[in-house]
Amino acid sequence: LEVAVYVMEPYTGNVLAVVGGTDYNKSTFNRAVYSQRQPASTIKPFLYLTALENGFTPVTTFDSSPTTFYFNGKEYSPTNYHSIYPNKDISMIYALATSDNIYAMKTHLFLGPDKLATRLKEFGFSGDIPSDLPSLALGTKEVNVKELCEGFNILASEGINYTPKLITKITTLDGEVIYTAKQTKKKIANESDVYILNEAMTSIFDNNLTYNIRPTGVSIKPLLNHTYSAKSGSTKTDNWMAGYNKDICCVVWTGFDDNKEITKAADLKSAKLIWADTVEASYYNNKEGIWYDTPSDVIGVDLNPTSGFYPSFTEYYKTVYLK
């Protein structure tokens, strides 16, 4: 199994670590920069940010049941993981937590498939991004680990793109500074929309959201001592874990160079475990993680995060953030 890791520092764009493979002596190919793989569900945060920018809320609901979509005269029938469906209305929060594909497709086609394609380009994703591809919302357009991390770092930096930097300064042997990287930044998204998304993305670790399937990050929750926004993704040949907070942004990919199917249980867990170890290791000096401040135009309301309604006395509820 091969691995690629890219780690950035929010609010500076500094690249803290790049791992291009498991063994440089066996292969010098940098998979973090050059390998193009399907990102699967790790692309969904950009879809849901686009939805929030177009009138959705974290508790906007769609029915998630087996569905056939018709687009340009063709049928498209995506499935959920292991064909497990809630068979009821679910919220964006629940869809993020459990990586529900039907909710993602309904969001994508409700907005119009060109919306996500345009937004991905604005977030720095390269190559030809088709504006008429239904499966774009499920991560079928190949990306590399580097550009996915750079996109996630914009979310980690509250919607600001701080130009990525691998080198901050070059000096001579005598200490004379001959190069200093310029800090440039550009606003890509509204802070309030990003904050609402970031809060919703913490639900990946919330076991209380389990209905008929567990949130995808619950298995590594015991390894985490800080709050993170995160999203996992998987195909038959790729496993991803991407996430961040104000201190660190990290994306991990695992898979085989020859696109062989990943079948071993240990291999299927590797990306999440490497991600958890990496982000927590960044706190080696025991500093406390600082979460995002709530923007002035955002309010918190206690709701049932699955249904989006006010909870009954027996229902689980949490603070949901709305504009």
Side-chain angles (χ1 to χ4, degrees):
L1 191 73
E2 275 297 348
V3 62
V5 184
Y6 212 87
V7 185
M8 296 182 67
E9 182 180 52
Y11 306 106
T12 67
N14 291 344
V15 179
L16 305 181
V18 181
V19 177
T22 56
D23 191 337
Y24 190 77
N25 291 317
K26 293 181 179 179
S27 171
T28 61
F29 181 64
N30 189 337
R31 293 158 187 81
V33 177
Y34 300 117
S35 186
Q36 298 290 318
R37 312 289 296 214
Q38 289 189 356
S41 292
T42 57
I43 211 68
K44 289 177 182 175
F46 304 101
L47 169 68
Y48 294 134
L49 175 65
T50 306
L52 292 170
E53 293 168 337
N54 285 272
F56 280 56
T57 77
V59 287
T60 296
T61 59
F62 282 124
D63 174 69
S64 177
S65 306
T67 305
T68 296
F69 298 91
Y70 295 87
F71 187 78
N72 288 343
K74 296 181 180 179
E75 292 186 2
Y76 181 53
S77 302
T79 59
N80 279 352
Y81 178 72
H82 284 183
S83 295
I84 299 173
Y85 302 90
N87 291 309
K88 65 174 185 177
D89 284 350
I90 59 169
S91 70
M92 182 189 295
I93 291 176
Y94 184 87
L96 270 166
T98 61
S99 208
D100 192 282
N101 286 337
I102 301 302
Y103 186 101
M105 280 302 307
K106 288 186 175 182
T107 301
H108 184 44
L109 296 181
F110 184 91
L111 293 173
D114 60 307
K115 284 278 202 308
L116 177 58
T118 298
R119 213 64 182 101
L120 289 175
K121 292 173 185 175
E122 292 168 348
F123 268 83
F125 288 89
S126 61
D128 178 33
I129 303 176
S131 59
D132 59 350
L133 181 66
S135 62
L136 182 65
L138 306 184
T140 57
K141 165 67 174 66
E142 293 180 340
V143 303
N144 59 56
V145 180
K146 170 182 174 289
E147 65 182 353
L148 187 63
C149 188
E150 290 174 351
F152 268 82
N153 200 62
I154 295 172
L155 300 177
S157 303
E158 300 177 272
I160 305 295
N161 182 14
Y162 292 86
T163 303
K165 298 186 293 297
L166 286 157
I167 297 171
T168 55
K169 184 170 64 175
I170 300 174
T171 66
T172 65
L173 289 174
D174 298 326
E176 178 188 356
V177 178
I178 58 176
Y179 170 81
T180 302
K182 294 180 180 179
Q183 179 67 78
T184 60
K185 60 182 182 179
K186 180 181 180 182
K187 184 176 181 179
I188 303 297
N190 179 273
E191 176 189 0
S192 299
D193 293 326
V194 175
Y195 177 84
I196 291 170
L197 175 70
N198 290 351
E199 284 285 350
M201 285 175 63
T202 64
S203 62
I204 187 176
F205 305 111
D206 187 352
N207 199 33
N208 291 307
L209 284 173
T210 299
Y211 174 60
N212 57 355
I213 190 171
R214 293 196 309 170
T216 60
V218 167
S219 62
I220 58 170
K221 173 63 176 173
L223 304 177
L224 304 176
N225 297 312
H226 302 84
T227 302
Y228 301 95
S229 300
K231 188 72 193 75
S232 63
S234 63
T235 70
K236 291 182 178 181
T237 58
D238 304 87
N239 279 314
W240 297 80
M241 186 66 182
Y244 53 87
N245 57 22
K246 292 185 75 169
D247 299 311
I248 189 169
C249 178
C250 176
V251 174
V252 177
W253 166 86
T254 58
F256 295 100
D257 287 340
D258 61 359
N259 287 310
K260 184 173 64 176
E261 186 172 340
I262 304 170
T263 57
K264 294 182 180 178
D267 290 347
L268 292 168
K269 299 175 183 177
S270 293
K272 292 177 182 177
L273 294 174
I274 293 168
W275 180 87
D277 284 348
T278 302
V279 294
E280 283 297 316
S282 71
Y283 291 96
Y284 66 92
N285 59 358
N286 296 319
K287 70 175 180 178
E288 281 190 38
I290 302 173
W291 191 241
Y292 300 96
D293 294 328
T294 306
S296 59
D297 60 342
V298 172
I299 61 170
V301 183
D302 289 340
L303 298 172
N304 178 321
T306 301
S307 70
F309 291 104
Y310 287 107
S312 68
F313 291 111
T314 59
E315 286 181 327
Y316 171 63
Y317 67 89
K318 66 191 297 184
T319 302
V320 174
Y321 291 89
L322 310 164
K323 281 205 301 185

